[in-house]
Amino acid sequence: MAAMDDVVFLLDVDNTLLDNDRLIDDLMQHLAQEFGAAGRDSYKAILEQLRVELGYVDYLGAMQRFRLANMHDARTLLMSAFLIDYPFADLIYPGALNAVAHLRQWGRTVILSDGDAVFQPRKIQRSGLWQVVEGRVLIYVHKEQMLDDVTRLYPSRHYVMVDDKLSILSAMKNAWSTQLTTVFPRQGHYALDPKNLAAYPAADITVENFSDLLKQDFSALLT
């Protein structure tokens, strides 16, 4: 059992620390250049099908299925390299790393992300975020269902969850109640979707950008 902290900051990755919408746009443009609009749309449909089946976005799994329909096209063999070797550090939102450093004065920072067991860790490692949180990285299929695991690994008197999805924040708030402060950065397509905004209660704190946390004072959580 790890020693209990006063505060632990749990940080999402996609569209919270990293501009994942930009990654998807770049991937779709690359697919269109290599395989045309029909090929791009085919991959996109496979990606969505896998998201429904698995509960997370599986880029590499979708690429494998895409290749099955294009077995004799050598270009499909290079598509995984586009994903694996992508310059993920370029996706970090401006000021995000300074904001993470700002949070450390009140508590431990931990990445808590959804995703697969290959591409998501690669993204976090290659972007430099793995090092920023000193290896404190948790990746689950549905992180909001793994809170007992989070408390076992990083026990704390209070948690702060920063996530661009109100659905995640709401589920975690229902589970942890006053032990959790929810922070909602309005970044990315989920955070800006009117349907999502209307479907869930507001977070405890709403900011326009993750870097706006530089203006937040969490000292009260230590009292």
Side-chain angles (χ1 to χ4, degrees), residues 7-54:
V7 180
V8 166
F9 293 91
L10 302 170
L11 311 177
D12 179 48
V13 174
D14 295 336
N15 289 335
T16 298
L17 293 170
L18 294 179
D19 187 352
N20 201 65
D21 286 353
R22 178 179 157 194
L23 169 63
I24 295 173
D25 288 344
D26 287 349
L27 174 59
M28 293 304 162
Q29 289 179 18
H30 188 67
L31 282 163
Q33 290 171 0
E34 293 294 324
F35 303 100
R40 176 202 62 203
D41 293 345
S42 174
Y43 175 85
K44 193 173 182 179
I46 295 169
L47 192 66
E48 176 59 20
Q49 181 183 2
L50 271 181
R51 185 192 67 79
V52 173
E53 291 178 12
L54 302 175

Side-chain angles (χ1 to χ4, degrees), residues 61-123:
M63 195 61 65
Q64 178 66 15
R65 288 195 186 181
F66 179 77
R67 180 177 176 247
L68 292 176
N70 301 273
M71 285 295 291
H72 302 294
D73 191 335
R75 293 174 299 173
T76 61
L77 300 177
L78 299 177
M79 287 304 303
S80 61
F82 175 86
L83 288 167
I84 293 296
D85 296 333
Y86 188 92
F88 297 107
D90 294 346
L91 299 179
I92 296 177
Y93 284 112
L97 297 185
N98 289 336
V100 173
H102 176 72
L103 297 177
R104 282 201 294 265
Q105 64 187 297
W106 296 292
R108 198 182 303 269
T109 53
V110 178
I111 283 178
L112 178 58
S113 175
D114 291 334
D116 71 305
V118 177
F119 186 64
Q120 195 68 4
R122 176 71 170 178
K123 182 192 300 181

Side-chain angles (χ1 to χ4, degrees), residues 17 29 41 53 55-56 77 94 97 125 132 152 164 167 208:
L17 293 170
Q29 289 179 18
D41 293 345
E53 291 178 12
Y56 59 87
L77 300 177
L97 297 185
Q125 181 186 30
V132 168
R152 179 180 63 83
D164 67 295
S167 59
E208 290 303 308

